[in-house]
Amino acid sequence: MRAGAPVPPSRLAAAAVLAGLASLAGAEQLPLRIYTAADGLPSDRVSVLLADSHGFLWLGTEDGLSRFDGDDFRNFAAADGVMPGPVHALLEARDGVYWIGTGAGLLRLDAARSSGPGAVRALHLPGGALGDDVLALMEDGEGGIWVGTEDGLFRLDPRPADARFERVAFAPRAASNVPVNALLPGAGGVVWIGSEIGLYRGTRASGFERVPDDRAATHDVQCLLRDRQGAVWVGSRLDGLHALAPNGGAAASWRAYSVDDGLPGQHVTALAETADGTLWASCYGGLAEIGPDRRSVRRYTAAEGLSSVGLSALAEDRDGDLWIASDSVGVMRFARNGFRRFDTGDGLTTLRVASLFESRDGAPCAFTRGQRPEDIVHGDGFLACFDGRRFRTRRFRVPPGTLYGWGWAQFALQDEQAEWWVPTLSGLFRFPGVPFEALESTPPRRLYAVGREIPGSGLLRLFEDRHGDLWMTLTGADGALARWDRRSDSIRVFRPADGFPSRQPMAFAEDGDGAVWIGLRGGGLARYRDGSFSLAEAADGLPSGSIRALAVDARGRLWVGSARGGVARLDRPQEWPPRFVSYGPAQGLSSGNTSSLALDAWGRVYVGTERGLDRLDPATGNVQRFTADDGLPHGVIETSLADRRGDLWFGSVEGLSRLTPQVESPRLPPATRIARLFVNGVLQPVPDVGATTLTLTPSGPGPVSLQIDYVALDFAPGGRPRYQYRLDGVDGDWAPPTDQRSIVYARLPAGAYRFRVRAVANDGSVGATPAEVGFRVLPPFWRQPEAIALLAAALAAAAYAFHRIRLSRALAVERVRTRVASDLHDDIGSGLSEIAILSELVRTPGSRDRAPVLAEIGDRARGLVDSMSDIVWSTDPRRDDVGSLVQRIRRFAANTLEGRGIAWTLEAPDGSETLPLDPDRRRQILLIVKEALTNVARHSGATRAAVRLAPTADGFAIEIEDDGRGFAVPAAGASDGLGVSSMRERARSLGAAFRVEPRPSGGTRIAVHVPRTRAAAARPA
């Protein structure tokens, strides 16, 4: 049978009767904080609890696994490798691996080293469907994992890569589906086995035997525990709780605990021993506390505030709180040193606590107000006094319909003569010093009526000084302060003429010298001493706002609580002017709006604020905050009391709580861990148990946005740590403490960073070793060393290329200059020399036929003009394009071919006119075309000719064709003739491919392919 299975109806009925009897008796409420699915749990049915070595609390529920860090639940889902379904067993092994027993097998979670699906590995046991329902887990001294299932017992050695399960036969029926509900390691390799058929012990080597018991008390064992004294505790499903003495397993050594001994039920589901040696047992019916002496048993049931009588698991956290799992209402945190809450089940008639005071016999008393119509009719106030176990409530015997007004905190009281006093809107009622139980039947001794002895319209506050005189707050009167003088039985009203300001008193206190201090509405603090008033204002250092609370500590210091400025301390009340020491939010208070003050025996000040209760330690300046989660009543703590036993009482409109303060031993600073990390919105891998140190690899160049979530594991009452962080390289010092659990850095510039965060506990302790995240933001690509090197290389290459371009241009210019000089020398110079010679021939005596010479001189001169035109054209930078070349060719073709009757065409693609063409290539191409067209005109006998120019992918192509007689292509090594050698040489100078070939239909084709650059000319044609 599975652990936690329901017990028979008869047993449940018995438990219900016991719980009902307990509720009738009344009991103070345990300081419980209940967490359910509404708070983030995957299910309200919690089966198992584990407080791990890191401080996390793990919860196995009927719908999966969850991990709690003190604030948030992190639920594991299918994406993490944990399928939804029941989790019955949890184990943290010594190597940090978590083992999870589920209804579908065993899971291995390496949560300390990684996260996500890769961290979880499923292992299926060999027992089939029943074997996959894991109920119990244990690690032995060799690191082996023992697994109790519905189908018996198995052991896994996780060290080999091919680890396999070994079935362990511990009883004759062990091979026949015997459920194993509990496992406990013992000394010398001994294993205790709690099964449905009894308790067994033994080793793998020597075998197992059933632990004898004459009363069969160990049938259907549900849980096992070895305490610090060495005793083995056995919880069973039907027979309660038994302890086996450390010295053996004989029947005489057993000790039994049942409902007759104080257990809330016979079905024991879980056991835990807390650090103080107390043993706890959860049952169907409630919770049992067995003291370290193992004699006293105290039961807790629904009457004490347990959310369910079906309790299923127990665990103690690092701060000593007890966690209690239920089978229907989630999990409860029992703050053992926390606040005990009282409600109507504890004798209070209403929860609206207006005032707290102590009776003459030392009983804490609460004056509460009713809100029902019948309460108004009979007087809307009740007096409840605590008898040590519960409250007893009585009404004051006042006329029907008497209203008590809205006075609070210092209201009703019992004076030093044991007389009872209660202010109302009708006046001040004075009752004789009768026992508390007789109040309801005792009429008032006297009424100091409003409008007669007391001016105004009512009374709001009441305070007794050491002389037995009563100070009171009036409403609707010319003076707001009055004092009843015991000796004269008269009431005096203080007005501005007496030195008292026209402000309503809100709080009273008396210092060690007998001076009465009065806090005022709207601000200000009055002192009455030696028959006169002195007034302190905000200008004197008093906190601003109405003064709502006053208290004097054991050292005679006066504490002042204000509505806006927090708390102030006056160390020497006898001196004037006063000097105040202030405590506000800047010093750690949760709010500057305070309502009540109380002091414990160690001088710590409890400040009721709008956000809960703050405990201020003046010796250290540390502030600890408590809320309703720690057992306080909901609502603002408007009244408080320190009784003579040292207990503190706190009341609100929602109830009453008691705290027994203790001297707290120094606590380890809460450990801070990095919980989650986002880079540019992308979740980074972080172990499931968080990390104390992380190093990020650079994610890429450019600014980075970083979000870091962190947590400090502190489960103590009021244990909401604050955090200080700093980003080395940006922050000069630690940031002020904050409740913020996440920090975002947007668009961090390039650089190396280290983020550090540490926890500051509410008692002021600071984590010694902060959690850290180291990371580096890469600069933009152009600022990275590699990019800078590449850029430098590119600049060098560009400079070199620029130099080469300049050099090539200089060489080109030099070539042009050389060519021009050569042309001028060869063509122009030789032509002019020839003209000069011919001119001399004409002048020579005896020359007869001068006409041919003169004609030749004219031809040579015209040729020189053409050559000079070509030279000028080739050097003109405005002509460095294909369009200029086409125009030049067209002009030459027209002059050369049309005179000989040869039809011709010139083809050039549209848009090619703007293509650039450097001067040298432009001139050489022109000369090649001119030479070819001259040959066509003089030697080909052609009737048609065509010139084609076209850009290509890697250069420029020229073709010249004619339909003349053609000529034979010379053999290799033979002379070209007809100017072909000249054209070939010019093409070679351009790096161009040159080809002369006959046309199939007759004539000649000359093809020239000029590369785009001279560098391309190096490639083979």
Side-chain angles (χ1 to χ4, degrees), residues 312-381:
S312 51
L314 299 170
E316 183 186 27
D317 65 28
R318 53 164 283 171
D319 294 304
D321 292 341
L322 184 69
W323 291 79
I324 309 164
S326 81
D327 63 358
S328 59
V329 197
V331 65
M332 294 162 275
R333 186 192 72 186
F334 178 8
R336 298 179 54 213
N337 295 323
F339 296 80
R340 303 294 179 104
R341 188 178 297 165
F342 297 84
D343 60 18
T344 54
D346 306 299
L348 294 175
T349 303
T350 71
L351 299 182
R352 190 179 183 89
V353 179
S355 177
L356 292 170
F357 65 94
E358 194 172 21
S359 68
R360 295 299 298 169
D361 60 2
C365 296
F367 183 81
T368 67
R369 287 197 174 94
Q371 296 176 307
R372 300 170 301 176
E374 57 268 30
D375 295 333
I376 303 297
V377 172
H378 298 289
D380 62 343

Side-chain angles (χ1 to χ4, degrees), residues 604-680:
R604 295 173 296 190
V605 184
Y606 295 75
V607 185
T609 76
E610 293 296 309
R611 300 185 62 188
L613 182 71
D614 292 343
R615 183 173 69 188
L616 168 65
D617 187 345
T620 62
N622 297 329
V623 178
Q624 189 167 357
R625 181 185 170 206
F626 305 94
T627 68
D629 291 344
D630 304 303
L632 279 172
H634 291 278
V636 177
I637 304 301
E638 294 184 334
T639 182
S640 56
L641 169 71
D643 68 24
R644 65 187 62 179
R645 287 179 297 274
D647 289 343
L648 300 179
W649 299 81
F650 302 95
S652 78
V653 296
E654 296 290 336
L656 179 63
S657 291
R658 182 186 67 180
L659 174 68
T660 302
Q662 297 180 354
V663 177
E664 296 181 353
S665 58
R667 298 176 55 218
L668 291 175
T672 308
R673 308 182 72 83
I674 304 299
R676 293 194 307 171
L677 190 61
F678 296 86
V679 177
N680 293 332

Side-chain angles (χ1 to χ4, degrees), residues 953-977:
D954 58 349
F956 197 74
I958 306 106
E959 288 186 358
I960 304 103
E961 290 185 347
D962 65 73
D963 60 353
R965 66 178 63 90
F967 65 94
V969 177
S975 174
D976 288 324

Side-chain angles (χ1 to χ4, degrees), residues 174-476:
S176 304
N177 300 339
V178 176
V180 174
N181 300 319
L183 295 166
L184 178 68
V190 170
V191 177
W192 296 76
I193 304 168
S195 76
E196 186 180 83
I197 60 175
L199 178 65
Y200 289 78
R201 59 171 288 178
T203 66
R204 295 169 62 206
S206 61
F208 296 87
E209 61 180 3
R210 191 177 187 279
V211 178
D213 174 37
D214 294 340
R215 293 168 298 171
T218 56
H219 282 171
D220 204 352
V221 175
Q222 298 291 295
C223 50
L224 295 169
L225 179 138
R226 181 188 296 275
D227 67 15
R228 290 172 175 79
Q229 302 171 14
V232 174
W233 292 78
V234 184
S236 74
R237 182 171 175 266
L238 297 175
D239 298 303
L241 180 63
H242 297 75
L244 181 61
N247 59 348
S253 63
W254 285 101
R255 180 175 180 180
Y257 298 82
S258 68
V259 291
D260 296 332
D261 302 295
L263 287 184
Q266 288 292 97
H267 182 178
V268 180
T269 57
L271 297 168
E273 185 181 23
T274 49
D276 61 357
T278 301
L279 189 104
W280 300 84
S282 63
C283 308
Y284 269 88
L287 178 68
E289 176 185 8
I290 303 176
D293 60 1
R294 301 299 186 248
R295 294 188 180 92
S296 60
V297 179
R298 183 176 181 180
R299 85 175 103 217
Y300 302 95
T301 66
E304 285 80 20
L306 292 177
S307 62
S308 170
V309 296
L311 307 182
S312 51
L314 299 170
E316 183 186 27
D317 65 28
R318 53 164 283 171
D319 294 304
D321 292 341
L322 184 69
W323 291 79
I324 309 164
S326 81
D327 63 358
S328 59
V329 197
V331 65
M332 294 162 275
R333 186 192 72 186
F334 178 8
R336 298 179 54 213
N337 295 323
F339 296 80
R340 303 294 179 104
R341 188 178 297 165
F342 297 84
D343 60 18
T344 54
D346 306 299
L348 294 175
T349 303
T350 71
L351 299 182
R352 190 179 183 89
V353 179
S355 177
L356 292 170
F357 65 94
E358 194 172 21
S359 68
R360 295 299 298 169
D361 60 2
C365 296
F367 183 81
T368 67
R369 287 197 174 94
Q371 296 176 307
R372 300 170 301 176
E374 57 268 30
D375 295 333
I376 303 297
V377 172
H378 298 289
D380 62 343
F382 302 86
L383 185 63
C385 291
F386 190 63
D387 64 5
R389 189 174 61 87
R390 65 193 310 270
F391 282 92
R392 295 167 297 144
T393 301
R394 297 292 184 270
R395 287 181 183 272
F396 288 103
R397 187 172 177 181
V398 296
T402 299
L403 299 177
Y404 292 94
W406 52 267
W408 51 279
Q410 294 169 312
F411 199 63
L413 60 83
Q414 188 178 24
D415 67 18
E416 63 176 8
Q417 303 295 329
E419 292 185 310
W420 303 88
W421 297 79
V422 56
T424 71
L425 296 183
S426 303
L428 180 61
F429 284 92
R430 180 182 183 182
F431 290 86
V434 298
F436 168 78
E437 291 78 5
L439 267 180
E440 201 157 326
S441 60
T442 303
R445 174 179 172 183
R446 182 175 176 182
L447 169 63
Y448 299 85
V450 169
R452 191 174 63 220
E453 291 91 350
I454 299 176
S457 58
L459 295 172
L460 298 179
R461 288 224 177 188
L462 197 62
F463 170 75
E464 182 185 18
D465 65 20
R466 67 177 60 183
H467 304 293
D469 296 339
L470 299 182
W471 296 78
M472 61 197 78
T473 300
L474 309 180
T475 62

